Amino acid sequence: MTRASSVIDDWDLGATLGEAVLSLQGDALDEELNRIVRLVFDDYAASYSHIRPDTYPETDARWQHVSAENFYVISGKNGQYNEADLQKLNVLAGLTARLFATRARLDKVQQESARAQLRQNQILEQIHESVITMDLAGFILSWNRGAEKMFGYSSQEVIGKNILFLYDDEDAEASGLFDAFLEHGGREMEVLRRKKSGEVFWASLSLSSLCDQDGQAVGIIGYLSDITQRKEAEKKINRLAYYDSLTSLPNRSLFKQLVDNALLQSQRSNSVGALLFVDLNRFKPINDTLGHHIGDLLLVQVAEKFRLALRENDIVSRLGSDEFAIALLDINQHYHAILVVQKLLAVMDGLFLVEGHELRLGASIGISIFPQDGQDADTLLQKADIAMYKAKRSNDSAAGSYVFYNQNMNQSVAGRLYLESGMRRALDQQEFFVLYQPKVDILSGKMIGVEALLRWNHPDKGIVPPSEFIPVAEETGLILRLDAWVLETACQQAHIWQMQNVTPFRIAVNVSAREFTANFPERIKAVLSKYQISPAWLEVEITESMLMHSAESVIAIMEEITNQGVSLALDDFGTGYSSLSYLKRFPIETLKIDRSFIMGTPNDHNDNAITKAIIMMAKQLKLKVIAEGVETIQQLEFLREAGCDEVQGYFFSKPIAPELILPLLNKDFQSQS
């Protein structure tokens, strides 16, 4: 065996050639292949050449193609070569040719891969979304232009860093993210991320696997889009859905959710809770006379005072209009709720300053107790509401009052609901009617006017007393429809009498606080025009309690009414808290002494003193005085001696139908005394 053949046998020719062809190029490759062929033939005359062998001067040279332009050339030792040398030449050339072909294929694959990567990078750069690729440990591999725009970092600043530096905080959402993704597959989520500027924003994140040719996960692709505006819109919508827009307190829906969740905890700890239903006592007349703007500002102050008066874990809500609900959680005993209620009533008794107006409210509060009155927010709220109405009816304090719920209240509520539904039906079925009670001049004994009094003929109960259905009408708002109906009916009756050529006399119509608003003068004008009657027919009676607040606005409404020729009377005088400084400014003609003072005359010294004082004061203010509820000759004589101008009561006539009124115009009531 020659030395050359031993080299071909012992030497790992394939590995050496493979390493050269696949890893080298250019002059380095040529030099290595020359070295290899000389080792194989142990002859420096052997070579690897790019020159065609037929141009060689040696005619005895032999060559073998490696490729179209590359050759192995041997001349043989001293120009000699044998058959074994030619075999080696064929083997060497064939092996080298196959390696060049393999390299060509690999180069083609790499070129195609490079072109594909270039296309992919170009596509990623054109995508407006942020696209980030990471390895399985979360280290960033690529970062497109969308990511640069979204986060403010260039790709040079982030590639190689772990993705966690973009997190708002390393919370549970961050830890184990990639493990969970790889275990459960594709994942979409809404996350908080931090920009280079430090700004934190909401992003929608979608993850997908980055796999190798074998389908094995080698990384993760993250697609992010900024959803901050959408989240802000959702936040606003959520606030509108669950919070009162005026006071920023939880609304009824959220209040019930919060209370129900808190009650579950109270059940586990066997603790006691209380729910308060709060209704503001004098809000409606303030809101009606001063307007909704002042009313809204007042409600904001009330909400803020409630917040300050309560503990941090108590829940306060505005249910609507002038109603609030408060949940007192984890109190030691149910009577501890009284301490909180008294604190709230003291707050409500304070002075509220709203754009120059000094206002006082007061509140009626109903209390239900968990767990004895109910196990959920709906039940407790319903029962506290029932108790609140009881407190409102029994209110004997300017600051307000409170009542605990008890089972007997259900019967009362059922009666109220029965009356409310009955009144709605009665308005449609014409079950209401108006009677008229004469007013008599105390000196002449002649009838000088009447008061229109509402009555209800119930189909099952018969005549329902006004004292029974009027409070319910005021609570439910039906009083507005009743007031309007009585005014309409009285003016219609005045039209009938006017068409009979009757000289106008005053028909007194009672108006509730809800009706006495800035629009009321226009309604009077409209009904007078509708029936074409003289304003001399109409007298409007308002209660003293209506004048307790917002006197300036009330005076403006009064003046609009009297400017039309309609007279005003102040009803139930002596039962309210009228300021005498305002009283002299009211454009009223008549003070009406409440029947509660007349009942005790002439035997009760206190009633006598009060009645005389009212009459004397009215005379000083040049106002007429009428006493209602006169039932005996002794009462009449006392009033005559005291200087009263007019009287009204069963002593002269009970309320009667309109067709019975005209005959009384010529009657001498003096003869009855």
Side-chain angles (χ1 to χ4, degrees):
M1 181 180 294
T2 66
R3 184 169 180 269
S5 66
S6 100
V7 170
I8 213 79
D9 292 335
D10 300 334
W11 182 39
D12 191 352
L13 178 62
T16 304
L17 270 175
E19 183 179 355
V21 173
L22 297 178
S23 63
L24 300 176
Q25 57 184 351
D27 293 342
L29 177 61
D30 291 348
E31 184 179 339
E32 181 64 12
L33 291 179
N34 270 304
R35 188 184 70 82
I36 291 171
V37 71
R38 288 168 186 157
L39 284 173
V40 170
F41 289 98
D42 195 19
D43 189 347
Y44 281 93
S47 65
Y48 172 74
S49 177
H50 302 292
I51 303 174
R52 288 184 59 79
D54 53 8
T55 64
Y56 277 60
E58 294 89 352
T59 57
D60 58 351
R62 292 291 182 267
W63 64 87
Q64 186 67 40
H65 286 274
V66 174
S67 65
E69 298 177 352
N70 300 301
F71 310 88
Y72 280 123
V73 181
I74 60 173
S75 299
K77 284 187 178 182
N78 302 317
Q80 300 295 317
Y81 51 84
N82 55 33
E83 191 66 28
D85 291 331
L86 291 177
Q87 250 179 344
K88 289 178 185 178
L89 180 62
N90 289 335
V91 170
L92 180 61
L95 181 57
T96 306
R98 288 194 296 275
L99 287 170
F100 269 113
T102 299
R103 173 171 177 162
R105 288 195 300 273
L106 290 174
D107 286 346
K108 184 178 181 180
V109 170
Q110 289 177 352
Q111 289 171 1
E112 290 177 351
S113 176
R115 285 194 294 269
Q117 184 64 45
L118 178 61
R119 287 195 298 271
Q120 179 180 343
N121 290 340
Q122 290 173 339
I123 292 172
L124 291 179
E125 290 302 317
Q126 297 303 316
I127 294 176
H128 294 295
E129 285 185 324
S130 169
V131 182
I132 305 170
T133 60
M134 302 156 278
D135 65 17
L136 296 180
F139 290 93
I140 298 171
L141 303 175
S142 71
W143 181 268
N144 78 334
R145 191 171 299 168
E148 289 183 351
K149 185 177 180 181
M150 177 178 288
F151 287 94
Y153 292 101
S154 67
S155 58
Q156 292 83 358
E157 291 178 286
V158 299
I159 290 177
K161 288 187 176 182
N162 195 285
I163 195 71
L164 292 177
F165 87 99
L166 298 174
Y167 284 40
D168 176 38
D169 49 29
E170 297 182 15
D171 54 10
E173 180 268 327
S175 63
L177 170 64
F178 302 108
D179 291 342
F181 168 72
L182 293 172
E183 181 180 351
H184 301 294
R187 181 174 177 182
E188 293 184 6
M189 66 200 82
E190 294 179 352
V191 295
L192 283 170
R193 292 293 180 260
R194 187 182 299 277
K195 297 183 180 182
K196 185 177 182 180
S197 64
E199 175 189 350
V200 176
F201 68 100
W202 279 102
S204 173
L205 171 62
S206 176
L207 297 175
S208 60
S209 294
L210 184 65
C211 299
D212 61 13
Q213 294 178 347
D214 298 326
Q216 296 298 312
V218 294
I220 293 175
I221 305 177
Y223 304 88
L224 294 99
S225 56
D226 192 328
I227 58 170
T228 303
Q229 288 186 344
R230 195 198 80 197
K231 295 293 287 186
E232 288 295 327
E234 289 176 355
K235 184 178 179 181
K236 290 179 181 178
I237 293 171
N238 181 73
R239 188 151 195 87
L240 290 173
Y242 293 107
Y243 289 87
D244 174 51
S245 59
L246 179 64
T247 63
S248 297
L249 293 175
N251 62 13
R252 182 186 293 266
S253 177
L254 180 58
F255 177 76
K256 290 195 291 186
Q257 291 181 34
L258 295 174
V259 171
D260 281 332
N261 291 337
L263 292 181
L264 290 176
Q265 179 63 35
S266 296
Q267 287 176 346
R268 287 191 287 268
S269 60
N270 294 320
S271 58
V272 177
L275 198 148
L276 316 181
F277 197 112
V278 183
D279 182 88
L280 307 183
N281 284 348
R282 293 183 287 274
F283 176 76
K284 286 182 174 61
I286 293 173
N287 194 52
D288 291 341
T289 54
L290 293 182
H292 294 294
H293 173 66
I294 297 298
D296 288 348
L297 294 178
L298 180 57
L299 289 172
V300 171
Q301 286 195 27
V302 170
E304 184 59 26
K305 289 195 176 187
F306 280 167
R307 285 193 192 97
L308 295 175
L310 297 168
R311 300 174 302 176
E312 186 175 345
N313 65 326
D314 295 330
I315 304 170
V316 57
S317 163
R318 183 185 176 214
L319 303 179
S321 185
D322 58 350
E323 295 178 339
F324 293 80
I326 297 169
L328 306 177
L329 306 171
D330 194 22
I331 56 178
N332 294 329
Q333 296 291 338
H334 72 272
Y335 56 80
H336 289 170
I338 297 176
L339 302 177
V340 179
V341 169
Q342 290 174 339
K343 185 177 181 181
L344 294 175
L345 289 177
V347 166
M348 297 310 299
D349 193 35
L351 192 64
F352 291 85
L353 297 175
V354 183
E355 292 194 350
H357 299 278
E358 296 184 357
L359 306 172
R360 292 187 183 275
L361 282 172
S364 299
I365 302 177
I367 309 169
S368 59
I369 299 298
F370 168 84
Q372 68 187 48
D373 294 330
Q375 303 286 326
D376 58 83
D378 265 327
T379 304
L380 292 169
L381 199 59
Q382 177 190 13
K383 293 182 176 179
D385 189 9
I386 292 172
M388 183 277 292
Y389 276 105
K390 176 68 173 177
K392 203 170 189 68
R393 288 194 299 273
S394 61
N395 193 351
D396 55 0
S397 168
S401 60
Y402 63 89
V403 170
F404 280 91
Y405 170 81
N406 62 62
Q407 291 294 334
N408 294 332
M409 292 179 181
N410 280 334
Q411 296 178 355
S412 174
V413 171
R416 282 178 49 249
L417 293 175
Y418 176 76
L419 285 175
E420 180 183 351
S421 61
M423 280 189 287
R424 295 185 188 277
R425 183 201 65 247
L427 282 164
D428 297 330
Q429 300 297 324
Q430 298 181 341
E431 296 173 12
F432 288 109
F433 61 97
V434 173
L435 297 179
Y436 298 87
Q437 188 172 38
K439 295 181 178 181
V440 177
D441 182 274
I442 201 166
L443 296 179
S444 67
K446 297 293 184 179
M447 190 188 83
I448 55 174
V450 294
E451 181 179 5
L453 298 169
L454 180 64
R455 295 293 184 265
W456 180 12
N457 185 15
H458 193 281
D460 299 323
K461 298 178 65 175
I463 301 299
V464 180
S467 59
E468 188 173 329
F469 70 83
I470 290 296
V472 177
E474 289 176 340
E475 292 172 5
T476 59
L478 282 172
I479 194 67
L480 292 173
R481 292 181 63 186
L482 293 179
D483 280 352
W485 185 84
V486 171
L487 178 62
E488 181 94 7
T489 302
C491 289
Q492 184 179 27
Q493 183 59 53
H495 172 74
I496 294 172
W497 285 331
Q498 184 171 273
M499 295 301 293
Q500 295 174 352
N501 296 319
V502 175
T503 302
F505 56 85
R506 299 290 185 186
I507 303 175
V509 175
N510 291 281
V511 176
S512 67
R514 287 196 179 197
E515 179 74 2
F516 201 73
T517 64
N519 297 324
F520 185 57
E522 281 299 318
R523 288 198 287 274
I524 290 178
K525 183 178 180 180
V527 75
L528 291 177
S529 175
K530 177 180 179 180
Y531 291 105
Q532 295 295 300
I533 60 173
S534 166
W537 282 101
L538 188 60
E539 180 178 64
V540 174
E541 288 190 359
I542 59 176
T543 60
E544 185 183 7
S545 59
M546 291 166 59
L547 311 179
M548 292 172 63
H549 300 282
S550 312
E552 296 296 337
S553 298
V554 171
I555 290 172
I557 297 172
M558 287 178 162
E559 288 176 344
E560 284 191 60
I561 294 172
T562 55
N563 287 341
Q564 297 180 44
V566 175
S567 63
L568 284 172
L570 191 58
D571 196 11
D572 300 334
F573 188 78
T575 61
Y577 305 89
S578 293
S579 168
L580 297 182
S581 63
Y582 277 118
L583 186 60
K584 65 182 181 181
R585 296 174 54 198
F586 292 141
I588 57 177
E589 294 182 11
T590 306
L591 289 183
K592 194 170 190 179
I593 304 175
D594 186 68
R595 67 175 65 247
S596 61
F597 300 117
I598 304 303
M599 288 174 58
T601 60
N603 300 318
D604 188 292
H605 296 297
N606 291 330
D607 287 342
N608 291 347
I610 292 172
T611 302
K612 287 180 178 180
I614 292 173
I615 294 172
M616 185 180 301
M617 180 189 66
K619 295 298 183 182
Q620 293 294 322
L621 295 173
K622 296 182 172 52
L623 301 176
K624 290 189 295 183
V625 182
I626 180 172
E628 63 177 341
V630 178
E631 297 181 357
T632 66
I633 184 65
Q634 290 82 8
Q635 291 171 340
L636 176 62
E637 290 300 329
F638 170 80
L639 292 169
R640 182 184 286 119
E641 291 177 7
C644 187
D645 300 297
E646 301 171 13
V647 285
Q648 172 188 348
Y650 273 67
F651 180 75
F652 303 101
S653 172
K654 65 181 182 180
I656 56 178
E659 58 269 20
L660 301 178
I661 287 294
L662 292 187
L664 298 182
L665 284 173
N666 297 319
K667 181 177 179 179
D668 182 10
F669 286 96
Q670 189 79 357
S671 61
Q672 290 186 215
S673 59

